[in-house]
Amino acid sequence: MCDTNSAAYATAVPFELEGQACLLVSSEVAFFAVKQTDGKQLWQIPWKTQYEIDAADPVVLGNQVFVTSGYKRGCALMEIAAGG
């Protein structure tokens, strides 16, 4: 479960994972995926920046997610699955 209720600046990104319609959403301290059908969270990637700002839209391609930000955080490319 995401540990903050505050949304970040990045746009929610629709994608499909293992046949499920999903959204990749950012908060102040994490990126997380939810199912579009019921909003159930599938997984979370902790991503805290110096000022708790995630403004760059994540990029999803197949089963990979690329996230990036300034504020002394950098970037990451991660492999994802429905279970985490």
Side-chain angles (χ1 to χ4, degrees), residues 59-80:
V59 177
V60 180
L61 183 59
N63 68 335
Q64 294 182 320
V65 173
F66 178 74
V67 295
T68 186
S69 57
Y71 307 107
K72 301 182 181 189
R73 178 63 175 160
C75 62
L77 177 66
M78 294 160 275
E79 189 171 336
I80 57 173

Side-chain angles (χ1 to χ4, degrees), residues 21-74:
C22 303
L23 288 172
L24 182 55
V25 182
S26 62
S27 74
E28 291 178 326
V29 296
F31 288 95
F32 56 98
V34 296
K35 286 196 235 178
Q36 286 187 25
T37 54
D38 60 9
K40 179 182 176 199
Q41 186 171 316
L42 298 171
W43 48 261
Q44 177 177 325
I45 301 168
W47 196 261
K48 189 168 179 154
T49 63
Q50 185 178 11
Y51 301 106
E52 296 183 343
I53 296 174
D54 288 321
D57 295 345
V59 177
V60 180
L61 183 59
N63 68 335
Q64 294 182 320
V65 173
F66 178 74
V67 295
T68 186
S69 57
Y71 307 107
K72 301 182 181 189
R73 178 63 175 160

